[in-house]
Every structure is written in structure tokens, then in C-alpha cells.
Amino acid sequence: MDDAISTTLHLSLTHLENKDTYVRMLFIDFSSTFNTIILQHLTEKLSLLGINTSLCNWILDFLTGRPQSVQIRNSTSSATTLNTGAPQGSNHIIKFADDTTMVDLISKNDESAYREEVQRLTAWCKDNNLSLNVEKTKEMVVDFRRAQSDHSPLNINGSNVKIIKSTKFLVVHLAEDLTWSLNTSSITRKAQQHFYFLRRLRKAHLPPLS
């Protein structure tokens, strides 16, 4: 995660040192990532990566015919057998699996390669049973040039992607000027909230944690 943030910022800032350049960052959101996995396709891809056949078969067996039920206190629903998707882990793992970021380093207003790559991504998602959530997919343009032109939005599956001025990229708040002011302000606010609750606990004369 830290490597992804550092690499994105380093590549962007290094590129922006060149004349007549800017950066477009596409923050992609997928719908129901874990629930759209086609198990046969998964094992085929693992095999192409060199994973042992026995291990691929074990993974397929583990994910096939999984009983699932819902329990609320002492009541349990009837079980349903699932043959698609995969079990989900923590919320943090889900968050990172659902999100993908595409960074394109553009020179002299030539966005052809960038837009072609987005088209290839859209086609790949269709072939792999992944649904792009265009409403939650956002784009940020980092342009330090004095004479900036209007940047045309991307169009994915007939809908324009919203261009934003800031976003939360993994665990940091990223702004279009690539400074740390927004992230620092966010951390400061969160720290102030924590101190507020600590002061309230102190006023209540609660004993310190052992």
C-alpha cells in the first residue's frame, strides 16, 4: 500500500517537471468484486501463472459448493449452496480489492494512449465478468501549467466520469496540487476528535488502562 502511494506520487511529480505535461489519475471502483468471480476462469488464470495443478484443484474444491447461512442471535436461516464468488476477509482487504487506480503521464495534450488503455480496461472487465461502477469511479487531473485547457471527461459505458479536485487514495487524502495540506488537515481533525473523547473520559474520572 505504501509502495503504491510512493510510486504514484514519484512518477507523477517527476513527469510534471517536464515541459507541457500533466497527469490524469483514474480511481476505478468495481461492483461486487468478490461475488463476480467465475471459479473456472480463476483456476485457469492461476494455472497460466504457473500454480501447481493440485493446488488449483484444491482452490476450486474449496470455493465450490460452499454452504452459507445467516445467524441472528439464536436464529439461523436455512443454508444456501454457493458456486460463485469467494469468501471475503476484512473490510480493508475488500476495500483494496475493489479499488484500482490508473495513472497516465501525458505530454503535449496527447491523451490517445490513455483513452485507448481505458477502453482496453473496459473490454477486459467485460471478458472477466467485472462490472465497473462508473458513478463511483472518479478522475483527478494534475496540471501545473500556467495556460491550462479544459480537460474533457472520460466516457465509460455511455456515462461521463466525474472530475474531482481531491480524493482519498488508499489511506491518504490526495489533492490535485499534490501537496500534503489536505492530508495533514484530515489527520489533525481526527487527532482532535480522539483528544476530545480522552478529555471526556478524564472528566468522568475513569481509571487508566492497565
Side-chain angles (χ1 to χ4, degrees), residues 141-154:
V141 181
V142 184
D143 192 347
F144 294 161
R145 297 175 298 176
R146 292 183 179 180
Q148 297 183 15
S149 58
D150 292 333
H151 298 283
S152 301
L154 282 173

Side-chain angles (χ1 to χ4, degrees), residues 111-124:
E111 298 183 352
S112 56
Y114 173 58
R115 294 181 180 272
E116 289 173 4
E117 188 64 27
V118 173
Q119 290 179 353
R120 283 193 289 268
L121 172 65
T122 305
W124 182 88

Side-chain angles (χ1 to χ4, degrees), residues 129-145:
N129 201 39
L130 275 173
S131 176
L132 277 173
N133 189 337
V134 183
E135 289 187 2
K136 290 187 177 181
T137 296
K138 309 297 180 186
E139 188 184 26
M140 188 167 69
V141 181
V142 184
D143 192 347
F144 294 161
R145 297 175 298 176

Side-chain angles (χ1 to χ4, degrees), residues 33-52:
T33 306
F34 284 92
N35 297 329
T36 59
I37 297 174
I38 299 176
L39 302 182
Q40 190 62 39
H41 290 179
L42 174 63
T43 53
E44 290 173 358
K45 290 178 182 295
L46 291 175
S47 179
L48 289 174
L49 290 172
I51 304 299
N52 184 276

Side-chain angles (χ1 to χ4, degrees), residues 42-207:
L42 174 63
T43 53
E44 290 173 358
K45 290 178 182 295
L46 291 175
S47 179
L48 289 174
L49 290 172
I51 304 299
N52 184 276
T53 302
S54 298
L55 181 56
C56 290
N57 291 335
W58 180 87
I59 293 173
L60 181 62
D61 181 73
F62 172 74
L63 296 176
T64 302
R66 291 177 289 111
Q68 179 171 300
S69 58
V70 177
Q71 181 176 356
I72 301 177
R73 295 180 182 175
N74 296 326
S75 300
T76 304
S77 69
S78 57
T80 298
T81 301
L82 302 178
N83 291 303
T84 59
Q88 299 184 16
S90 70
N91 289 334
H92 295 292
I93 295 175
I94 297 170
K95 176 69 175 173
F96 299 148
D98 281 352
D99 295 344
T100 300
T101 302
M102 179 185 294
V103 180
D104 199 77
L105 311 176
I106 299 170
S107 300
K108 299 180 180 179
N109 294 315
D110 184 6
E111 298 183 352
S112 56
Y114 173 58
R115 294 181 180 272
E116 289 173 4
E117 188 64 27
V118 173
Q119 290 179 353
R120 283 193 289 268
L121 172 65
T122 305
W124 182 88
C125 290
K126 184 178 180 180
D127 294 339
N128 288 273
N129 201 39
L130 275 173
S131 176
L132 277 173
N133 189 337
V134 183
E135 289 187 2
K136 290 187 177 181
T137 296
K138 309 297 180 186
E139 188 184 26
M140 188 167 69
V141 181
V142 184
D143 192 347
F144 294 161
R145 297 175 298 176
R146 292 183 179 180
Q148 297 183 15
S149 58
D150 292 333
H151 298 283
S152 301
L154 282 173
N155 187 282
I156 298 178
N157 297 331
S159 299
N160 286 338
V161 176
K162 183 179 180 181
I163 297 178
I164 55 176
K165 294 184 176 297
S166 63
T167 188
K168 190 171 184 181
F169 175 46
L170 297 178
V171 295
V172 302
H173 291 269
L174 198 62
E176 61 180 355
D177 59 3
L178 296 187
T179 64
W180 290 102
S181 301
L182 181 63
N183 190 66
T184 302
S185 298
S186 176
I187 294 174
T188 302
R189 286 195 302 271
K190 189 174 293 185
Q192 290 172 343
Q193 292 173 354
H194 291 168
F195 281 128
Y196 169 77
F197 289 117
L198 289 174
R199 287 193 294 268
R200 292 294 299 270
L201 293 173
R202 184 177 182 181
K203 287 183 179 179
H205 303 291
L206 292 179

